[in-house]
């Protein structure tokens, strides 16, 4: 099916404000030994957490936050290793498990803010676009959206370089589920997607209006 794609806006951000909830802040405050966290003013929870975190060594704080978010995905040794690597590199971009990039980004940026830059500063991209089908309008998947963006992206874009076959052919693209952290639409035409700047940055977008063709993915036996 043919689509007309219009890129409306692309923003670079260093945090996704709605990711961390007040419940997260309360639980983390408790882990950082802050008394009566549940009774604290909700408007000040984030600042209180930063104050509590600053009483700990950065590596120890990293371990606590990583355990809170990723204890079901990583073992103790992996968490210790990541807590060391986070000072030197953007682990949230380089970790081999793409499925963890999103959570590692949010952990990294919480620590970056709490320690005023002692951790590397990672960025995310929020892209707003419309994807209008020539006929009908079914909700698009993350895989669909990435493939439709292909013609508007530079050939140097990391997604295109690493996943050229999946982006250009009607082949399955399961990695799309983790490359795009979030995808929302209210009308199956206008979409907002969130991903790492590592995968897609504003400079990668070389056209504001272009066409795309979406074919049903065919598995290769």
């Amino acid at each position: 099916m043919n689509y007309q794609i219009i890129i409306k806006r692309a923003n670079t951000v260093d945090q996704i404000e709605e990711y961390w909830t007040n419940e997260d802040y309360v639980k983390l405050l408790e882990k950082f030994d802050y008394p009566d966290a549940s009774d604290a003013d909700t408007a000040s929870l984030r600042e209180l957490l930063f104050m509590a975190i600053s009483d700990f060594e950065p590596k120890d704080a990293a371990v606590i936050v990583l355990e809170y978010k990723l204890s079901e995905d990583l073992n103790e040794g992996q968490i210790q290793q990541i807590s060391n690597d986070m000072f030197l590199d953007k682990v949230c971009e380089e970790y081999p498990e793409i499925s963890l990039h999103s959570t590692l980004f949010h952990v990294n940026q919480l620590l970056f803010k709490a320690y005023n830059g002692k951790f590397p500063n990672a960025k995310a991209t929020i892209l707003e676009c419309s994807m209008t089908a020539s006929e009908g309008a079914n909700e698009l998947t993350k895989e669909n959206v990435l493939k439709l963006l292909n013609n508007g992206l530079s050939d140097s874009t990391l997604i295109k370089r690493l996943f050229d076959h999946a982006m250009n052919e009607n082949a399955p693209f399961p990695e799309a589920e983790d490359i795009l952290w979030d995808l929302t639409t209210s009308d199956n035409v206008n979409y907002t997607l969130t991903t790492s700047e590592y995968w897609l940055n504003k400079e990668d977008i070389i056209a504001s209006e272009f066409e795309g063709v979406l074919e049903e993915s065919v598995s290769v036996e």
Side-chain angles (χ1 to χ4, degrees), residues 159-178:
I159 301 171
K160 294 181 72 168
R161 288 191 284 115
L162 291 185
F163 301 103
D164 177 70
H165 180 67
M167 286 286 283
N168 287 286
E169 306 291 340
N170 60 332
F173 190 7
E175 295 86 356
E177 285 297 315
D178 296 319

PDB file of all heavy atoms in Angstrom, residues 159-178:
ATOM      1  N   ILE A 159      20.175   2.926  11.536  1.00  0.00           N
ATOM      2  CA  ILE A 159      19.156   1.901  11.294  1.00  0.00           C
ATOM      3  C   ILE A 159      19.290   1.346   9.875  1.00  0.00           C
ATOM      4  O   ILE A 159      19.209   0.134   9.657  1.00  0.00           O
ATOM      5  CB  ILE A 159      17.736   2.468  11.493  1.00  0.00           C
ATOM      6  CG1 ILE A 159      17.550   3.014  12.897  1.00  0.00           C
ATOM      7  CG2 ILE A 159      16.681   1.391  11.221  1.00  0.00           C
ATOM      8  CD1 ILE A 159      16.243   3.770  13.094  1.00  0.00           C
ATOM      9  N   LYS A 160      19.507   2.223   8.914  1.00  0.00           N
ATOM     10  CA  LYS A 160      19.609   1.781   7.521  1.00  0.00           C
ATOM     11  C   LYS A 160      20.900   1.011   7.276  1.00  0.00           C
ATOM     12  O   LYS A 160      20.931   0.070   6.482  1.00  0.00           O
ATOM     13  CB  LYS A 160      19.510   2.984   6.582  1.00  0.00           C
ATOM     14  CG  LYS A 160      18.144   3.650   6.606  1.00  0.00           C
ATOM     15  CD  LYS A 160      18.052   4.822   5.649  1.00  0.00           C
ATOM     16  CE  LYS A 160      18.018   4.379   4.196  1.00  0.00           C
ATOM     17  NZ  LYS A 160      17.640   5.482   3.285  1.00  0.00           N
ATOM     18  N   ARG A 161      21.964   1.402   7.966  1.00  0.00           N
ATOM     19  CA  ARG A 161      23.242   0.712   7.768  1.00  0.00           C
ATOM     20  C   ARG A 161      23.240  -0.690   8.382  1.00  0.00           C
ATOM     21  O   ARG A 161      23.780  -1.626   7.797  1.00  0.00           O
ATOM     22  CB  ARG A 161      24.391   1.541   8.343  1.00  0.00           C
ATOM     23  CG  ARG A 161      24.700   2.785   7.515  1.00  0.00           C
ATOM     24  CD  ARG A 161      25.989   3.444   7.929  1.00  0.00           C
ATOM     25  NE  ARG A 161      25.864   4.199   9.158  1.00  0.00           N
ATOM     26  CZ  ARG A 161      26.492   3.907  10.294  1.00  0.00           C
ATOM     27  NH1 ARG A 161      27.270   2.838  10.366  1.00  0.00           N
ATOM     28  NH2 ARG A 161      26.329   4.665  11.366  1.00  0.00           N
ATOM     29  N   LEU A 162      22.614  -0.818   9.554  1.00  0.00           N
ATOM     30  CA  LEU A 162      22.624  -2.112  10.239  1.00  0.00           C
ATOM     31  C   LEU A 162      21.504  -3.040   9.785  1.00  0.00           C
ATOM     32  O   LEU A 162      21.646  -4.264   9.848  1.00  0.00           O
ATOM     33  CB  LEU A 162      22.528  -1.904  11.752  1.00  0.00           C
ATOM     34  CG  LEU A 162      23.723  -1.273  12.444  1.00  0.00           C
ATOM     35  CD1 LEU A 162      23.501  -1.245  13.948  1.00  0.00           C
ATOM     36  CD2 LEU A 162      25.016  -2.011  12.123  1.00  0.00           C
ATOM     37  N   PHE A 163      20.399  -2.457   9.344  1.00  0.00           N
ATOM     38  CA  PHE A 163      19.232  -3.271   8.995  1.00  0.00           C
ATOM     39  C   PHE A 163      18.750  -2.943   7.582  1.00  0.00           C
ATOM     40  O   PHE A 163      17.554  -2.788   7.340  1.00  0.00           O
ATOM     41  CB  PHE A 163      18.106  -3.041  10.017  1.00  0.00           C
ATOM     42  CG  PHE A 163      18.501  -3.366  11.425  1.00  0.00           C
ATOM     43  CD1 PHE A 163      18.806  -2.355  12.324  1.00  0.00           C
ATOM     44  CD2 PHE A 163      18.588  -4.687  11.859  1.00  0.00           C
ATOM     45  CE1 PHE A 163      19.171  -2.639  13.623  1.00  0.00           C
ATOM     46  CE2 PHE A 163      18.956  -4.983  13.161  1.00  0.00           C
ATOM     47  CZ  PHE A 163      19.254  -3.961  14.055  1.00  0.00           C
ATOM     48  N   ASP A 164      19.688  -2.862   6.670  1.00  0.00           N
ATOM     49  CA  ASP A 164      19.375  -2.474   5.289  1.00  0.00           C
ATOM     50  C   ASP A 164      18.338  -3.403   4.656  1.00  0.00           C
ATOM     51  O   ASP A 164      17.383  -2.952   4.024  1.00  0.00           O
ATOM     52  CB  ASP A 164      20.667  -2.473   4.457  1.00  0.00           C
ATOM     53  CG  ASP A 164      20.405  -2.157   2.997  1.00  0.00           C
ATOM     54  OD1 ASP A 164      20.063  -1.002   2.698  1.00  0.00           O
ATOM     55  OD2 ASP A 164      20.524  -3.073   2.169  1.00  0.00           O
ATOM     56  N   HIS A 165      18.514  -4.693   4.832  1.00  0.00           N
ATOM     57  CA  HIS A 165      17.601  -5.653   4.201  1.00  0.00           C
ATOM     58  C   HIS A 165      16.184  -5.505   4.744  1.00  0.00           C
ATOM     59  O   HIS A 165      15.210  -5.427   3.977  1.00  0.00           O
ATOM     60  CB  HIS A 165      18.098  -7.080   4.425  1.00  0.00           C
ATOM     61  CG  HIS A 165      17.215  -8.131   3.809  1.00  0.00           C
ATOM     62  ND1 HIS A 165      17.055  -8.281   2.449  1.00  0.00           N
ATOM     63  CD2 HIS A 165      16.413  -9.074   4.387  1.00  0.00           C
ATOM     64  CE1 HIS A 165      16.211  -9.262   2.203  1.00  0.00           C
ATOM     65  NE2 HIS A 165      15.805  -9.763   3.359  1.00  0.00           N
ATOM     66  N   ALA A 166      16.070  -5.419   6.067  1.00  0.00           N
ATOM     67  CA  ALA A 166      14.745  -5.308   6.686  1.00  0.00           C
ATOM     68  C   ALA A 166      14.069  -3.987   6.333  1.00  0.00           C
ATOM     69  O   ALA A 166      12.849  -3.924   6.159  1.00  0.00           O
ATOM     70  CB  ALA A 166      14.860  -5.449   8.196  1.00  0.00           C
ATOM     71  N   MET A 167      14.851  -2.929   6.205  1.00  0.00           N
ATOM     72  CA  MET A 167      14.280  -1.614   5.908  1.00  0.00           C
ATOM     73  C   MET A 167      13.834  -1.503   4.451  1.00  0.00           C
ATOM     74  O   MET A 167      12.901  -0.761   4.135  1.00  0.00           O
ATOM     75  CB  MET A 167      15.297  -0.512   6.218  1.00  0.00           C
ATOM     76  CG  MET A 167      15.505  -0.257   7.705  1.00  0.00           C
ATOM     77  SD  MET A 167      14.129   0.628   8.483  1.00  0.00           S
ATOM     78  CE  MET A 167      14.446   2.310   7.930  1.00  0.00           C
ATOM     79  N   ASN A 168      14.489  -2.220   3.562  1.00  0.00           N
ATOM     80  CA  ASN A 168      14.225  -2.039   2.131  1.00  0.00           C
ATOM     81  C   ASN A 168      13.440  -3.165   1.480  1.00  0.00           C
ATOM     82  O   ASN A 168      12.973  -3.026   0.352  1.00  0.00           O
ATOM     83  CB  ASN A 168      15.554  -1.865   1.380  1.00  0.00           C
ATOM     84  CG  ASN A 168      16.181  -0.515   1.625  1.00  0.00           C
ATOM     85  OD1 ASN A 168      15.734   0.495   1.112  1.00  0.00           O
ATOM     86  ND2 ASN A 168      17.227  -0.492   2.450  1.00  0.00           N
ATOM     87  N   GLU A 169      13.311  -4.277   2.155  1.00  0.00           N
ATOM     88  CA  GLU A 169      12.613  -5.416   1.577  1.00  0.00           C
ATOM     89  C   GLU A 169      11.425  -5.781   2.467  1.00  0.00           C
ATOM     90  O   GLU A 169      11.321  -5.337   3.605  1.00  0.00           O
ATOM     91  CB  GLU A 169      13.558  -6.622   1.452  1.00  0.00           C
ATOM     92  CG  GLU A 169      14.844  -6.327   0.683  1.00  0.00           C
ATOM     93  CD  GLU A 169      14.597  -6.080  -0.792  1.00  0.00           C
ATOM     94  OE1 GLU A 169      13.536  -6.504  -1.294  1.00  0.00           O
ATOM     95  OE2 GLU A 169      15.465  -5.457  -1.438  1.00  0.00           O
ATOM     96  N   ASN A 170      10.526  -6.594   1.920  1.00  0.00           N
ATOM     97  CA  ASN A 170       9.376  -7.015   2.730  1.00  0.00           C
ATOM     98  C   ASN A 170       9.760  -8.215   3.595  1.00  0.00           C
ATOM     99  O   ASN A 170       9.167  -9.284   3.540  1.00  0.00           O
ATOM    100  CB  ASN A 170       8.179  -7.341   1.830  1.00  0.00           C
ATOM    101  CG  ASN A 170       8.474  -8.447   0.841  1.00  0.00           C
ATOM    102  OD1 ASN A 170       9.621  -8.636   0.438  1.00  0.00           O
ATOM    103  ND2 ASN A 170       7.448  -9.180   0.427  1.00  0.00           N
ATOM    104  N   ALA A 171      10.815  -7.983   4.413  1.00  0.00           N
ATOM    105  CA  ALA A 171      11.323  -9.009   5.324  1.00  0.00           C
ATOM    106  C   ALA A 171      10.964  -8.625   6.757  1.00  0.00           C
ATOM    107  O   ALA A 171      10.807  -7.441   7.067  1.00  0.00           O
ATOM    108  CB  ALA A 171      12.840  -9.130   5.180  1.00  0.00           C
ATOM    109  N   PRO A 172      10.808  -9.590   7.645  1.00  0.00           N
ATOM    110  CA  PRO A 172      10.496  -9.284   9.039  1.00  0.00           C
ATOM    111  C   PRO A 172      11.564  -8.395   9.676  1.00  0.00           C
ATOM    112  O   PRO A 172      12.747  -8.493   9.344  1.00  0.00           O
ATOM    113  CB  PRO A 172      10.468 -10.669   9.707  1.00  0.00           C
ATOM    114  CG  PRO A 172      10.182 -11.624   8.586  1.00  0.00           C
ATOM    115  CD  PRO A 172      10.876 -11.054   7.392  1.00  0.00           C
ATOM    116  N   PHE A 173      11.158  -7.541  10.585  1.00  0.00           N
ATOM    117  CA  PHE A 173      12.062  -6.596  11.238  1.00  0.00           C
ATOM    118  C   PHE A 173      11.742  -6.572  12.736  1.00  0.00           C
ATOM    119  O   PHE A 173      11.287  -5.573  13.273  1.00  0.00           O
ATOM    120  CB  PHE A 173      11.883  -5.218  10.613  1.00  0.00           C
ATOM    121  CG  PHE A 173      12.909  -4.193  11.008  1.00  0.00           C
ATOM    122  CD1 PHE A 173      14.028  -4.523  11.765  1.00  0.00           C
ATOM    123  CD2 PHE A 173      12.730  -2.863  10.640  1.00  0.00           C
ATOM    124  CE1 PHE A 173      14.965  -3.569  12.122  1.00  0.00           C
ATOM    125  CE2 PHE A 173      13.653  -1.890  11.002  1.00  0.00           C
ATOM    126  CZ  PHE A 173      14.771  -2.240  11.739  1.00  0.00           C
ATOM    127  N   PRO A 174      11.980  -7.679  13.442  1.00  0.00           N
ATOM    128  CA  PRO A 174      11.605  -7.755  14.862  1.00  0.00           C
ATOM    129  C   PRO A 174      12.339  -6.753  15.744  1.00  0.00           C
ATOM    130  O   PRO A 174      11.825  -6.341  16.784  1.00  0.00           O
ATOM    131  CB  PRO A 174      11.964  -9.200  15.243  1.00  0.00           C
ATOM    132  CG  PRO A 174      12.997  -9.620  14.235  1.00  0.00           C
ATOM    133  CD  PRO A 174      12.617  -8.926  12.963  1.00  0.00           C
ATOM    134  N   GLU A 175      13.546  -6.345  15.324  1.00  0.00           N
ATOM    135  CA  GLU A 175      14.312  -5.385  16.122  1.00  0.00           C
ATOM    136  C   GLU A 175      13.611  -4.036  16.252  1.00  0.00           C
ATOM    137  O   GLU A 175      13.904  -3.255  17.158  1.00  0.00           O
ATOM    138  CB  GLU A 175      15.708  -5.181  15.511  1.00  0.00           C
ATOM    139  CG  GLU A 175      16.592  -6.403  15.528  1.00  0.00           C
ATOM    140  CD  GLU A 175      16.372  -7.316  14.322  1.00  0.00           C
ATOM    141  OE1 GLU A 175      15.463  -7.019  13.505  1.00  0.00           O
ATOM    142  OE2 GLU A 175      17.102  -8.317  14.191  1.00  0.00           O
ATOM    143  N   ALA A 176      12.672  -3.766  15.344  1.00  0.00           N
ATOM    144  CA  ALA A 176      11.958  -2.488  15.379  1.00  0.00           C
ATOM    145  C   ALA A 176      11.238  -2.283  16.702  1.00  0.00           C
ATOM    146  O   ALA A 176      11.086  -1.146  17.169  1.00  0.00           O
ATOM    147  CB  ALA A 176      10.960  -2.423  14.221  1.00  0.00           C
ATOM    148  N   GLU A 177      10.788  -3.364  17.325  1.00  0.00           N
ATOM    149  CA  GLU A 177      10.062  -3.258  18.585  1.00  0.00           C
ATOM    150  C   GLU A 177      10.913  -2.624  19.681  1.00  0.00           C
ATOM    151  O   GLU A 177      10.397  -1.955  20.582  1.00  0.00           O
ATOM    152  CB  GLU A 177       9.588  -4.644  19.043  1.00  0.00           C
ATOM    153  CG  GLU A 177       8.408  -5.170  18.256  1.00  0.00           C
ATOM    154  CD  GLU A 177       7.169  -4.305  18.418  1.00  0.00           C
ATOM    155  OE1 GLU A 177       6.856  -3.926  19.568  1.00  0.00           O
ATOM    156  OE2 GLU A 177       6.530  -3.995  17.408  1.00  0.00           O
ATOM    157  N   ASP A 178      12.219  -2.843  19.625  1.00  0.00           N
ATOM    158  CA  ASP A 178      13.110  -2.299  20.649  1.00  0.00           C
ATOM    159  C   ASP A 178      13.808  -1.025  20.190  1.00  0.00           C
ATOM    160  O   ASP A 178      14.199  -0.200  21.022  1.00  0.00           O
ATOM    161  CB  ASP A 178      14.158  -3.345  21.039  1.00  0.00           C
ATOM    162  CG  ASP A 178      13.540  -4.572  21.680  1.00  0.00           C
ATOM    163  OD1 ASP A 178      12.611  -4.393  22.487  1.00  0.00           O
ATOM    164  OD2 ASP A 178      13.961  -5.689  21.365  1.00  0.00           O
TER     165      ASP A 178
END
